[in-house]
Structure formats: C-alpha cells, structure tokens
Amino acid sequence: MVSRVRVWLNRTYAENVFFMDQLRRNPSDRAVEIHATHGDPDSPVLAAADTAELEPEGLSPAGYVEYALVQCVRRGIDVFVPRLHQSAIVAHRAEFEAAGTAVLAPPPEAVAVFHDKVIAYEAVQAIGVPVPPWYRVRSEDELVAAVEELEAGGHRACFKPASGAGGVGFRVITRSPFSLSQLDGFPSPYVPLDLVVEALRQAEEPVDWLVMPRLEQPEVSVDCLTGPDNRVRMAVGRTKNGRRRGFTLHEQWLDPARRLAEGFGLHYLSNIQFRMFGDRPVLMDVNTRPAGGLHQLSLCGINAPWAAVQLALGEDPGEVVPPFLGQDYSVVSGPRPLRPVALPQQRAEAAEPLPPVPVDSVGAAPQAAVGALPL
C-alpha cells in the first residue's frame, strides 16, 4: 500500500489554496495531507489545510529554522514548501533531510543570487539573458540623475526595492504636480518626482531602490520545474496583457527561462518574468518559489504542484508538457471559507499539541484568493 504524503506550506500566499487543492486532486490518486502555518488566523490557507496552527512571533531566521525542524519531526512532514525564511531554511537542507523531510526549494546559492535584484541582473547579463537598463539608487541625487537619464532616452522611470517580492513598493515617476486629479478614482502607482525627492531628504536612513524604465506589456511569467540535476522538466509561459490572460510556448520566452533555471540551479518550482523593452523581451524578475498563479496551468491540463512534490520525493515525473494550451481567461475574486474560531482547529487524529517553541514572524500580507475564468 502506498503511504500518504504529508506536505507543509509555511506562511504562504492566500492564493495557494489552489496549490493545495491540486495536491489533493493529483493524477497519481495518492493520499495527500497538508499542514499549514501562518501569522494571520484568518488566512484561508489555514482553513484549507488538514492541520494548521499559528506561527509564534519574534524569531530570528535561525530560530525559525529550529521551529521548522520541530514541525517537520512532530508532524511527519515529507515535503516542506517554504516561503517565509526560505534563505535560512535551504541553508540547513541537510538537517531537514536527516529528519526525513525534502525541502522543495532551490539551493542557497540560487536563492541568494535572486534575493537582490542588482546581483541578479549582473549575474543574468553575464550569461547573455537581456535585462533592461537599471540604476541602483540610495539618495535623492542618485534618483534624480537616474530619472533624468531614462527620460532623456524617451522612457518613463519607475522604481522598486532592490529586494522584495510581489510588486511591493513599485511606483512610477511622474513630473505632474500633485493635484486633485490624483485623488480621483482608485489609488495609482504614479508619484510626483518632487514628492519622492522630499521624502528621501527627510528619511533617516538611505533607501535601496532599483530605478529602471517602465516596461511594456505583454508580461510573460514562465513557470519552470527543474530537477536537482539542473534539467528542466517543465517550462510554460503565462501571458498577461491587461485583463486578458493566456498561455505560450514561444521560445523567445521559454529559451531564456530555461537558461536561467538550468544555469543557476533553480531547483523545483520557480517563476521567471519577462516584459518588453522596445521590440525585445527582457527579464523583469525571478522568483525562487512557486508563483501564486501556478494553479492556472491546470487550464492546460498540468498539475505542476504534484509534479514538483514527486520530484522532491525522488519520483521523477519526466517531461511535463501541456497536452493543449487553454483558452484565454481572466482572473476574478472568489470566496473561500475561514476557520470559525481565532485559533485554528486540528483534525481529531492530529490534535495533540506541540511543545512550545520560540518562533519568528516576518509575514507578508495575505493576498486575495483568486480563480481563473475563461474569457
């Protein structure tokens, strides 16, 4: 009899309720039980899991690793999919393996390269993958110089943190003065340059921003599945152009994504994002984790989460090729149930409490759960 697979997702995005659904509906018809932890008692991933609990607050990365090891041993975790403190966790992969847990994440060297966008762009350029012009700025003078140089080339400047994920901190520079027009409608990413400069002058510490031209659509996110042998098993592009979403297997997107996944050892699931700079695709970002929209590949007949778990367990799924490309679609919000009480309940057979362990919390705001609907 084939044993069940026990998977743990730590403080992950709300959208990964669909990741969890796909694990349970796997084509191998294998029993899967999911453990989830989060800092927010109202995260829908806690309600979607078989067992769940709140993560303690205030741990350092090293303290979080200790907490995670205890979780894996006491919960019998077979595969750990870390988002919070990924860097610290993958540095201790051998300890998790000794506890019987496979860590579904790239090696520490790959995580370190793509944690800092400047280091990433320099490394990517070295292997011939095109990137947009970029400037690292820490002061108002450096910001103004970068903006003026981009505008002289006919580009609109934008900035974002040199390290970060999910579009947090992204803004577009405008020369228009602040006025009531910017208070109409929904909040906008556009910010007047003079207000940004004044904020930098008053800041107590320097910023660490990447300034670059505003890139054009389409945006293409290539979801990759790569084995520990650095061989890519899956590469499928998800296109985004306004509301319209779709899929692509065009090599102008897939070829550079494969080169990055293989060249930097982006093991298991990664997401590599491109946009247009002029008439050519350039790299925008690399995520060393499963993308929130990974489940959308189900519209192409692919269960990527399960293929990744198989790979982590040493069961090579082989080449994962979509049997068809799904029709264009849109993403809309949808309701998901929450736990009826503040502290997540456990399944009856897993209700034995864990011993208290000091824990850390560096959480990300949960995102709204979304589903895919065809256009």
Side-chain angles (χ1 to χ4, degrees):
M1 180 177 178
V2 179
S3 63
R4 69 175 183 177
V5 179
R6 185 82 163 138
V7 181
W8 173 26
L9 284 77
N10 76 331
R11 203 171 295 211
T12 191
Y13 302 115
E15 200 172 12
N16 274 335
V17 293
F18 303 114
F19 186 104
M20 299 158 74
D21 291 343
Q22 285 191 284
L23 288 181
R24 293 191 178 101
R25 296 195 300 264
N26 67 80
S28 303
D29 199 25
R30 186 94 171 261
V32 175
E33 290 193 4
I34 299 172
H35 181 55
T37 58
H38 208 286
D40 179 3
D42 289 332
S43 169
V45 300
L46 298 181
D50 297 296
T51 60
E53 64 183 66
L54 291 176
E55 293 186 353
E57 301 292 332
L59 275 189
S60 66
Y64 192 90
V65 170
E66 293 182 11
Y67 161 76
L69 284 165
V70 170
Q71 287 281 317
C72 289
V73 172
R74 294 296 303 274
R75 297 287 184 180
I77 301 299
D78 299 300
V79 179
F80 179 19
V81 187
R83 190 204 64 80
L84 181 65
H85 292 310
Q86 187 190 65
S87 297
I89 289 163
V90 296
H92 293 267
R93 187 186 303 271
E95 295 170 47
F96 286 94
E97 290 177 347
T101 300
V103 179
L104 201 153
E109 298 82 9
V111 173
V113 166
F114 294 104
H115 176 73
D116 185 302
K117 292 179 174 59
V118 171
I119 294 174
Y121 277 8
E122 291 173 341
V124 165
Q125 281 181 299
I127 67 168
V129 173
V131 301
W134 53 270
Y135 307 83
R136 190 171 205 162
V137 306
R138 294 183 171 87
S139 68
E140 66 269 21
D141 291 338
E142 291 177 343
L143 173 68
V144 171
V147 170
E148 289 179 345
E149 189 160 345
L150 287 170
E151 289 178 342
H155 307 295
R156 170 161 275 175
C158 61
F159 65 88
K160 57 186 175 182
S163 61
V168 175
F170 172 80
R171 298 292 186 274
V172 181
I173 293 290
T174 176
R175 295 281 187 166
S176 301
F178 187 80
S179 67
L180 283 176
S181 64
Q182 289 165 292
L183 299 178
D184 290 336
F186 293 103
S188 163
Y190 290 88
V191 291
L193 178 60
D194 59 334
L195 294 186
V196 180
V197 169
E198 182 60 28
L200 288 174
R201 286 174 181 158
Q202 296 182 13
E204 296 181 359
E205 297 180 357
V207 297
D208 189 8
W209 289 344
L210 203 65
V211 177
M212 56 196 298
R214 177 71 185 270
L215 301 175
E216 300 302 323
Q217 293 184 325
E219 179 179 318
V220 177
S221 291
V222 182
D223 293 306
C224 292
L225 175 63
T226 308
D229 57 0
N230 290 344
R231 183 167 63 83
V232 173
R233 270 61 166 187
M234 179 195 78
V236 181
R238 290 183 286 115
T239 64
K240 178 181 177 182
N241 200 336
R243 183 188 294 272
R244 182 170 292 272
R245 312 291 178 93
F247 304 100
T248 180
L249 295 177
H250 198 293
E251 286 299 320
Q252 71 171 343
W253 313 105
L254 270 54
D255 177 67
R258 288 195 198 95
R259 289 162 61 192
L260 292 173
E262 293 173 350
F264 291 98
L266 295 174
H267 299 167
Y268 304 110
L269 290 167
S270 61
N271 178 256
I272 303 170
Q273 302 169 359
F274 301 90
R275 272 199 177 220
M276 299 299 293
F277 180 62
D279 59 355
R280 67 171 183 164
V282 294
L283 179 71
M284 186 169 67
D285 207 355
V286 174
N287 293 311
T288 59
R289 55 168 175 77
L294 179 69
H295 64 279
Q296 294 161 15
L297 294 185
S298 64
L299 297 177
C300 297
I302 290 179
N303 188 326
W306 178 245
V309 166
Q310 285 185 293
L311 199 54
L313 293 173
E315 305 166 5
D316 197 330
E319 298 299 319
V320 181
V321 179
F324 54 87
L325 291 184
Q327 71 183 89
D328 285 359
Y329 62 101
S330 182
V331 173
V332 297
S333 298
R336 294 288 300 202
L338 296 179
R339 293 283 187 178
V341 293
L343 291 177
Q345 298 174 345
Q346 307 294 311
R347 290 177 53 144
E349 66 269 27
E352 181 182 350
L354 296 180
V357 179
V359 193
D360 185 273
S361 135
V362 181
Q367 300 175 350
V370 298
L373 291 180
L375 291 170

